[in-house]
């Protein structure tokens, strides 16, 4: 398979979301990664170990959605690729490490999900038009074998995605959308819901 | 009814309050909205779904205070319009989604109000000259029928407004004032009181 | 008594401390005030109601350390003046409204003080050279009669000041120093100690 | 021993890390200090009492790794020097005062360590390739005799360093790395782990 270049507007979009989340402290210690679909067969993904608040063009790599990962790809690239393969409507994916996501993903790891009920912020998620009802955010066990982890996640998400994101236990939050604007809105909405849920659990325990 | 344009200074005021609250993380995921009275019959209101930290002139719409809502108006526009109709002294309204407002509005939904007692910050509210006494911040149940919700709110607020704001359960905080400067001061004062109250409830439970 | 003008470097110092504390959210809703001694008989004090993150020269007023307050002086000016009269070594005073100061001042109001023990941050206070020992931060009941309040405070502080600051219950934190640099360091040190103390009280209750 | 000058790129690196941590509020009241190895016999260390968000070239001093400290060196310089002597692989050291580090270091002082288990953020530490297993962050009693303290710390760290950092009880966090980039990543990773741990202790107590 021929390698393709990362379009400059795609690299610029990844740099912009990086500045946004880094300013909020959501990608400490070079953690987190971001991606955007380039075309039917490729996605652009940030390399590991780079400062996510200052992503340069060389910090982004084009990866094929099928076939082996190129050298230099982040260890979490399979999680991104599997989502693009699993849902053709996804155009962008963001992954962050926040305190709320980390702590709640550990607290809910045994249950395998976190329930969020009755928040107006539900409406920040594409297709949700009311605060009524319950959202169920999946939580998956963390695994350094990200290829196997990606397969288990895609199998579990199945045909239905209750929310455009999931938690990895002790690890962080993934969120996606049709565009980077949608992915960022979903990220902000889910993180806000996590912060509220964490605060309520402090009070209710 | 003839449509009117939004004066450029009004749009600039809405953009400025948007930058202020966005910098504090109070309008995540494009949530929140802001408005200002234009004249006796109209108000300028932000459209829904726009980045509140970067409000452009085209993101603000002029709406009539009586008669049907124009196409493109935010679903929460009726809550703004009803306040301008209910109190001719109101010149500006701000609505935000903060963690403290969301969590406390849920905790106090059954009671229907939140009591705040003995804070010097009471004096940030127009007409309050002492820390002594108790403020009662109303909490209304959330409802996607914002027209019906607006009517219930105005009926409840009645002749007396104990504080220049209210909470919507699981949703957020509304605050208003004679000018945008007053509305912003009331917003900051109420949010500070909510943060203190939330912290005290952590300790007292 | 002849009125005197506020020297421009004094106004600039007050504007700078204002930007510093406003950026941290410590003066919400135009709360807080700052002052600096001008000469043996006068101090410059911020007017009330101004945006403390954007203090302009006209937002600062020169007040005499004896005699009646000029028109336009903040209601809390007597608390500043009394400190300058009570301790000739004081060159600058800062007053802020933080969540930690407000909540802890209410929790400790009956005791009349807050004890801080064993923190390295003790050493940020002038004259303290060890983390060993206990600091006792006084807490005074709030009072809208600031002239009477100032007299009670000065009488209580007496000859000995255990720390360069005090709390007003439900109101906020005052801190001072020989220079504005010292006053700011004391403010930062005390606020850090209050945040640690609040966190420990959450855990220990 | 001849004095040597601090190379300008070293001073610039110390100024940069200072701006980074000051923006996060991790060096309040002029607390904290930073250093970098210059050569086999010297390190550059920030002077005490300077604003760590605005480190100027004259705020950095070159100190010998053996022999007496020069006049003007920070009282905590022996802690830096001992680390450079104890581990020739260390190129940079950062020391900060955060609420999480301060509170957890006091809570765990009797145990002498803080255990962190199962976080993906473990992988931010050099040489750690999995979230599985337990990290043990040492906690040492604070002591104003920093020379004696440094000797006790080096003796305890011994041949094995479970993590590239330690806590001083009631004082703060030290972190180091082969380069300043590594030291900063370790600092951010450890502080994130401390924040998560503090939040979990709030819930679990």
């Amino acid at each position: 398979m021929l390698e393709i270049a990362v379009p400059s507007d795609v690299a610029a979009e990844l740099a912009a979301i990086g500045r946004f989340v880094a300013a909020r402290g959501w990608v400490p210690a070079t953690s987190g990664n971001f991606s955007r679909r380039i075309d039917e067969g490729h996605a652009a993904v940030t390399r590991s170990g780079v400062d996510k608040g200052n992503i340069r063009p060389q910090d982004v790599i084009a990866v094929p959605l099928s076939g082996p990962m190129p050298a230099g790809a982040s260890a979490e690239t399979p999680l991104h690729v599997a989502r693009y393969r699993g849902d053709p409507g996804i155009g962008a994916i963001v992954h962050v490490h926040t305190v709320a996501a980390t702590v709640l993903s550990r607290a809910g790891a045994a249950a395998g999900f976190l329930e969020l009920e009755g928040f107006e912020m539900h409406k920040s998620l594409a297709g949700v038009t009311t605060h009524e009802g319950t959202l169920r955010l999946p939580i998956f066990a963390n695994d350094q074998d990200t290829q196997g982890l990606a397969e288990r996640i895609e199998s579990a998400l199945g045909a239905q995605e209750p929310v455009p994101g999931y938690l990895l236990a002790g690890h962080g939050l993934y969120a996606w959308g049709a565009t980077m604007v949608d992915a960022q809105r979903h990220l902000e909405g889910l993180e806000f819901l996590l912060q509220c849920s964490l605060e309520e659990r402090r009070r209710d325990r």
Side-chain angles (χ1 to χ4, degrees), chain A residues 19 24 57-58 117 146 155 176 195:
Chain A
R19 286 190 296 272
R24 279 150 188 76
Q58 62 266 38
E117 189 177 349
T146 51
S155 170
W176 53 80
Q195 289 178 14

Side-chain angles (χ1 to χ4, degrees), chain A residues 9-129:
Chain A
D9 65 321
V10 169
E13 244 182 54
L14 294 172
I17 187 72
R19 286 190 296 272
F20 178 84
V21 301
R24 279 150 188 76
W26 295 352
V27 284
T30 78
S31 66
N33 40 63
F34 319 115
S35 67
R36 226 203 64 173
R37 192 189 290 272
I38 298 176
D39 58 30
E40 286 194 7
H42 299 83
V45 188
T46 49
R47 294 181 192 272
S48 71
V50 305
D51 175 0
K52 299 308 188 300
N54 186 25
I55 295 172
R56 303 158 302 171
Q58 62 266 38
D59 298 329
V60 181
I61 189 171
V63 301
L65 298 186
S66 57
M69 288 298 100
S74 160
E76 294 194 48
T77 302
L79 298 174
H80 290 251
V81 166
R83 280 279 67 210
Y84 287 116
R85 286 167 59 99
D87 183 345
I90 294 177
I93 302 174
V94 291
H95 166 51
V96 299
H97 287 217
T98 69
V99 170
T102 303
V103 169
L104 286 176
S105 67
R106 285 160 63 98
F113 58 85
L114 179 73
E115 284 193 340
L116 302 159
E117 189 177 349
F119 291 95
E120 178 75 7
M121 191 57 76
H122 290 186
K123 290 168 62 185
S124 68
L125 307 182
V128 180
T129 59

Side-chain angles (χ1 to χ4, degrees), chain A residues 134-149:
Chain A
T134 301
L135 297 178
R136 187 175 275 210
L137 184 66
I139 304 175
F140 298 102
N142 197 17
D143 194 329
Q144 297 305 323
D145 170 15
T146 51
Q147 187 60 56
L149 176 57

